[in-house]
Amino acid sequence: MKYAAALFLCLFSVHALAAEIGFIGGFTSPDDLGAAYYGAEVSETIDIPNNHKLKLSADYKMTDFNDAAGFMPDTLTQAALGIDIEGHEYLLNMKAGVSTDEPFEESDGYFVGIVAAKKIYETGPHKFYLGLVASNKELLDDMYVLPAFGYSYTAPNLYILAGSLNMIKWKPAEKVSFEASLSILGQGKVKGTYHWSDDFRTSLVYSNNTDTFYLGKDYPEDSELRLRIASVSLEAEKDISSYARLVLSAGMITSARYYIVDDDDEVLRDQKVNGGATGSAELRIMF
């Protein structure tokens, strides 16, 4: 946390195009695996020479499994620092952090991810990209490197990205918007939004998330906890002012799997969940 605090101070000591702080808290309540979580993130976007933008970020999240029936660690912690550099011809994203039940106590559980992409061809609204993706976030003991490719199409009410990451943002009517994303690792999200006014929106959201945590001394050596959670929720966003936004969400978990694997990917413990409630509250402050 001392590194995140140092970055926090640094972020607000320079001239920025935009800065943002977010605070979030929520819960999940599948059978015997109920959890409460809270976290914070801070980011700042800085204008640098030659029409480049630099974004610095830090985030922290702690999950407390208050009803895990001995299956899960008492708490799980994620913390990370990120750097994004965006230019007209290329994009570079770097993120490093820790994902474990014993943060900053073990040499394992640290992750790093790098995405680098360069535009190789552009004609009208069409753009083509090539690059590389390297990360050990999904497999904490193994670093993978994959070629990245992409195609994007940009129109006034439509944006399409296809390739290593697939995304669509579409506004078919003045008060209606739609967005969806799917990564090559299987994480996905679909969101349909109705804009009641300029400062109030409601959305129906489906998400399918995965996460990985390194487990410490109370578990076999080099064990990992892997989570897969799919949920449907109703979300309401209210712009309190031009500087603050409140987001409330409530819904149901449609399926979930919590399993612990050893260094050879042999499943040591496995539990599937077919239902449960979920909810969250988030406050974002923009400068």
Side-chain angles (χ1 to χ4, degrees):
M1 283 300 293
K2 63 181 180 181
Y3 303 110
L7 178 62
F8 179 90
L9 293 174
C10 176
L11 290 180
F12 290 93
S13 64
V14 296
H15 177 69
L17 294 175
E20 191 168 316
I21 305 174
F23 304 94
I24 188 169
F27 72 92
T28 58
S29 62
D31 298 339
D32 298 327
L33 287 171
Y37 62 88
Y38 60 89
E41 61 180 48
V42 56
S43 66
E44 185 165 14
T45 303
I46 303 167
D47 197 8
I48 56 179
N50 300 321
N51 292 322
H52 290 61
K53 289 181 174 60
L54 170 66
K55 181 179 179 181
L56 305 175
S57 62
D59 60 78
Y60 176 85
K61 179 181 178 182
M62 176 176 283
T63 305
D64 178 15
F65 286 91
N66 46 32
D67 188 23
F71 178 85
M72 304 281 284
D74 291 337
T75 59
L76 295 172
T77 299
Q78 288 181 316
L81 302 176
I83 299 176
D84 293 84
I85 302 175
E86 182 180 351
H88 181 66
E89 298 289 334
Y90 69 90
L91 173 69
L92 177 64
N93 169 269
M94 296 177 288
K95 192 168 188 177
V98 62
S99 181
T100 180
D101 63 334
E102 296 182 349
F104 315 115
E105 295 183 12
E106 298 281 345
S107 59
D108 296 299
Y110 292 91
F111 66 86
V112 61
I114 300 174
V115 178
K118 187 179 188 307
K119 183 174 66 177
I120 58 172
Y121 181 72
E122 177 178 1
T123 175
H126 310 280
K127 298 178 182 178
F128 297 85
Y129 302 88
L130 282 179
L132 288 174
V133 177
S135 177
N136 68 329
K137 177 63 176 71
E138 290 72 27
L139 305 168
L140 287 171
D141 56 347
D142 294 306
M143 174 71 73
Y144 66 81
V145 180
L146 297 174
F149 60 95
Y151 159 78
S152 69
Y153 173 84
T154 305
N157 293 315
L158 178 64
Y159 174 76
I160 298 173
L161 177 65
S164 303
L165 174 65
N166 300 280
M167 179 188 301
I168 181 171
K169 294 183 178 182
W170 180 38
K171 193 170 184 181
E174 181 180 356
K175 292 184 175 293
V176 178
S177 63
F178 172 84
E179 60 183 86
S181 62
L182 178 65
S183 75
I184 59 175
L185 297 174
Q187 297 192 80
K189 183 177 182 179
V190 179
K191 180 177 181 179
T193 302
Y194 187 82
H195 302 253
W196 298 90
S197 64
D198 290 341
D199 60 1
F200 181 67
R201 303 162 290 281
T202 56
S203 305
L204 184 63
V205 183
Y206 169 80
S207 63
N208 183 17
N209 294 318
T210 64
D211 225 331
T212 304
F213 296 84
Y214 182 87
L215 299 180
K217 60 189 177 188
D218 293 333
Y219 295 84
E221 186 177 0
D222 293 329
S223 295
E224 294 178 4
L225 170 66
R226 297 178 184 174
L227 312 180
R228 295 178 181 174
I229 302 176
S231 63
V232 176
S233 59
L234 183 63
E235 188 176 277
E237 295 183 51
K238 172 65 177 177
D239 295 336
I240 303 172
S241 70
S242 58
Y243 302 103
R245 176 179 302 156
L246 179 65
V247 183
L248 301 176
S249 176
M252 296 295 296
I253 294 172
T254 58
S255 66
R257 184 185 180 193
Y258 301 70
Y259 61 110
I260 295 173
V261 299
D262 63 14
D263 193 35
D264 297 320
D265 278 349
E266 179 181 348
V267 178
L268 304 177
R269 304 181 191 177
D270 193 349
Q271 185 161 339
K272 296 181 180 178
V273 177
N274 294 318
T278 181
S280 67
E282 180 180 6
L283 176 65
R284 304 200 71 84
I285 301 172
M286 292 79 71
F287 298 93

